[in-house]
Amino acid sequence: MCGIVGYLGKNEKKEILLDGLQELEYRGYDSAGIAVIEGDKLNNFKAIGKLENLREKTKAYHTEGFGISIGHTRWATHGKPTELNAHPHLGAYSYVVHNGIIENYQELKTELQADGVNFLSQTDTETIVHLFEKEHKSSDSVFAAFEKTLSKLDGAYATLLITEADPDTIYFAKHGSPMLVGFNGDDVYFASSDTPIIGKATEVYYLEDGEYGYAKEGVLKLFDANGEKSFTKQALTADKVSAQKEGYRFFMEKEIYEQSSVMGDTMMGRVLDDTINFEELDKDFFENIYAIKICACGTSYHSALASSYLFERIGKMRCDVEIASEFRYKEPFLTEKTLFITISQSGETADTLEALKMAKRAGMRTLSICNVDNSSIVRESDAAILTRAGIEKGVASTKAFATQSMVLWMLALYVGQTKNTISQELIKNEIDAMIHTPKALIVTDKLHEKVHRLSKRYLHGHGFFFIGRDIFFPLALEGALKLKEISYMHAEGYPAGEMKHGPIALADSELFTIALMPKSMHYDKIKSNVEELSARDATICAISPLPFDLADDFIQTNYDSHPMLEYFEMMVVTQLLALEISVRLGNDVDMPRNLAKSVTVE
Ligand code: M6R
């Protein structure tokens, strides 16, 4: 959510910033901006909307020689997506970019306004630059003013500041939002994730919360609450696995098609002939653990919810799942005998990260299931299992969900195996099914064509109900989330058996029901739930391996022997349905309105 790039050196700064922001654009695309200081020349450009607008605006601008520069791509939190609200924010002689939220900005703003400062934007970020310039008046140095500024900020932030008062230095700070520093010779790079600097920097240092400092040509000074500190750089891969669309219309589409192949990576070395193996977990990782609590948000929450059925049924271990933003403020009762699992594609989701910190403070053992190595959530956890989905660029998560579901299924089995609560025969059956998963995820032309044709009937109406039972209930929630994210149509996921307790009141021919009807799990039960809806004239789109006479539309699936294989196959159908409806409606599938890929604010 929002992206930051910074560069200090002799290379063409505009291109470095714009290329870096391009890599981050999927995180926020309400507006973008850059600011560059070269000697006494200061330049600043901003544009609303996609980055291409900023590219267009800066076409004639080029940088030369040594300089310092910062850039930002924004997902609006405070104030509308306007140019005035776009970063970098300007004081009288300084610029700032910022990710996160300054919680006490209103208070600070009121004080600054009382001192006569004129605010141009509605953002919390602008407070930082004015506060800095105020502190600068009474400080011995720019650095002292920066330190004093930081000491007055509450909230979560990653920020870069440049100022004409010190035109060869970039000031930086990280507190709760991700930021890293890249190095290549005397050049210094900053970014909110490593993709913008891969191929440019050769070494990297991932800043920790509470760290701040400044960079000059060839020099980086790092500080925290205890004063100056040393740090160790790590080598940064030069292999830019920059996700390209490879002929697909959208990243989301490419990512749906990729699910079959990435699943092989997810299982590699973990699903063995007759056992599940996680090198990431010490042998005694589950010792003295008698329950599991999972916290996550959005799609990751849905994979968690599905896994709670598996942990109890296969792993024979109690499992509760909570939405991270709810968990944080409910004063939860936590015990050390419960394993705390967080699930996150990005590893940077603020609510999930904070929930994890709470669990750690309570002395719980923590495990993260994440797609991004070295992310804040991975670094904060006692152990981490990477989902190995590869870079996911579509804002609507697909392959991350698939691989999370697989890791959690494996983990449920691993728990039963480690705790000796399940038979070898059950382990063998589950593993046999797992091995077939990549096949169940293949998107055939026939299926895609069918979903494409059928999607034209679902462009209106007063809403969608996705219904399912057991693990197909969280899958229904996820199907509904996918659809609403990119089609902007109202969609809800519901446990099929719950419809008669209220929601069925909405049933009429303009209510579209997407019914997940697996053969291998409670088929007769869900069938009668769907019949009840059909009797009220709801339009039914059934997804099932078994023909269903009452369906207005029917998508026949192939797998019927194991619930998880049916789950994965139906997941693909719901993803394609959301995609095709959104395309027909003319929406931007990869960058849907109001959303961002990684939500690093509360
Ligand atoms: O990176 P995370 O998995 O922690 O993100 C959690 C949610 O923000 C994310 O799943 C969101 O719901 C997606 N847009 C879903 O498509």
Side-chain angles (χ1 to χ4, degrees), residues 52-72:
E52 64 204 31
N53 300 339
L54 184 63
R55 268 197 201 280
E56 187 56 34
K57 215 167 178 176
T58 54
K59 231 165 48 192
Y61 170 65
H62 300 287
T63 68
E64 269 168 30
F66 176 83
I68 58 174
S69 59
I70 56 178
H72 189 268

Side-chain angles (χ1 to χ4, degrees), residues 352-366:
T352 311
L353 180 60
E354 285 309 313
L356 169 60
K357 289 179 181 167
M358 277 172 66
K360 283 186 77 178
R361 283 196 294 272
M364 296 173 86
R365 198 169 306 163
T366 59

Side-chain angles (χ1 to χ4, degrees), residues 7-10 66 182-189 216-219:
Y7 170 67
L8 176 156
K10 295 196 178 84
F66 176 83
F183 305 88
N184 190 349
D186 284 349
D187 288 4
V188 184
Y189 297 82
K216 289 179 180 296
E217 205 172 7
V219 178

Side-chain angles (χ1 to χ4, degrees), residues 447 450-451 453-458 463-468 483 508-509 511-517 526 530 533-534 537-544 546 548-556 570 573-574 576-578 581:
L447 172 67
K450 165 117 199 182
V451 175
R453 263 187 296 119
L454 181 150
S455 60
K456 63 175 172 290
R457 295 211 275 274
Y458 296 94
F464 288 76
F465 268 101
F466 285 68
I467 58 169
L483 184 64
D508 65 18
S509 60
L511 177 83
F512 300 136
T513 301
I514 312 295
L516 308 179
M517 304 173 70
I526 176 122
V530 182
L533 278 154
S534 171
D537 211 22
T539 298
I540 311 289
C541 173
I543 306 174
S544 179
L546 297 177
F548 180 59
D549 288 348
L550 297 176
D552 297 277
D553 278 313
F554 180 64
I555 300 174
Q556 187 150 26
M570 290 185 186
V573 176
T574 57
L576 289 173
L577 188 64
I581 290 176

